[in-house]
Amino acid sequence: LLNKEFGTRLTNQDVHITDPFTGTGTFITRLLQSGLIKKDDLKRKYQKEIHCNEIVLLAYYIADVNIESVYHELNDSNEYLPYNGICLTDTFQSAEFKDGTQGEAMLDDYFADNYKELQKQRKIPVRVVIGNPPYSVGQKKANDNAQNLKYPVLDARIEDTYAKHSAAGLKKSYYNSYVKAFRWASDKIAKNKEGG
């Protein structure tokens, strides 16, 4: 599809790929193993053009180990290269921060390398978003403690697009995490397409 519609391939230089909800890194490891990335391009992709985020600490570490392991299995070199393209972050929340906010200052102080990668991810021209979006419709009862978090910037985008153009009477379902993931991905690709 990327080749047919856009005249490029996953293996090409400057085709950045992201998995914003990577879990244990399954989609990225399968991408590396798929053969869609040429052996000559593998090191460049691994080091500079494949990015991912995870919010759960254990899954973050497992994803990092899985991605590194698969890369080193595929790479003929004995040189160890850490995978630096993963961020420990809430993808939705990271899109809410504005430069210089208190939240970002805290991230910079405590997780300097993570913060630098997150800043880099914001600027890269993402062409492909892969993965499995999270799904939560929120709590069913008051005691469930499973309420969806509020993301004012992302929620406003949903209001201005999906909800605005819908004839549905009940629009609450537009604000579940699955829909938010599609809105985030669409905005990320559109933003980079426009150069913003």
Side-chain angles (χ1 to χ4, degrees), residues 11-179:
T11 197
N12 290 7
Q13 188 164 352
D14 296 325
V15 174
H16 288 266
I17 302 162
T18 190
D19 182 350
F21 316 99
T22 203
T24 57
T26 302
F27 283 89
I28 291 178
T29 57
R30 295 298 183 258
L31 172 65
L32 293 171
Q33 294 168 330
S34 71
L36 294 170
I37 297 172
K38 294 179 185 171
K39 198 154 185 90
D40 293 344
D41 298 327
L42 190 60
K43 183 176 180 180
R44 183 192 74 247
K45 282 290 180 194
Y46 174 78
Q47 288 187 301
K48 298 178 181 177
E49 298 174 2
I50 296 177
H51 316 275
C52 61
N53 297 333
E54 179 50 47
I55 191 171
V56 177
L57 187 60
L58 181 58
Y60 164 87
Y61 282 119
I62 292 170
D64 193 35
V65 168
N66 285 342
I67 294 165
E68 284 186 10
S69 296
V70 167
Y71 170 76
H72 288 96
E73 285 172 15
L74 297 170
N75 190 10
D76 294 333
S77 171
N78 289 330
E79 173 189 18
Y80 171 74
L81 289 174
Y83 177 60
N84 296 318
I86 188 169
C87 286
L88 179 63
T89 190
D90 174 351
T91 296
F92 297 148
Q93 187 64 44
S94 69
E96 297 290 315
F97 284 133
K98 303 291 182 216
D99 290 335
T101 65
Q102 185 178 15
E104 286 199 356
M106 183 197 75
L107 288 172
D108 192 18
D109 289 344
Y110 293 105
F111 305 104
D113 291 339
N114 193 68
Y115 177 74
K116 287 176 190 168
E117 178 60 26
L118 186 57
Q119 291 296 73
K120 186 173 96 177
Q121 280 189 20
R122 285 189 181 151
K123 296 174 185 168
I124 58 169
V126 169
R127 296 288 301 275
V128 179
V129 178
I130 61 172
N132 186 17
Y135 184 73
S136 170
V137 293
Q139 64 190 50
K140 294 182 173 108
K141 295 182 268 179
N143 294 332
D144 282 352
N145 198 22
Q147 216 170 0
N148 284 338
L149 296 174
K150 300 288 183 194
Y151 301 99
V153 172
L154 192 55
D155 290 344
R157 286 291 297 137
I158 292 169
E159 178 68 29
D160 292 342
T161 55
Y162 302 148
K164 182 179 181 178
H165 300 288
S166 172
L170 183 60
K171 297 180 182 180
K172 182 181 177 186
S173 63
Y174 289 129
Y175 299 92
N176 71 53
S177 57
Y178 198 74
V179 174

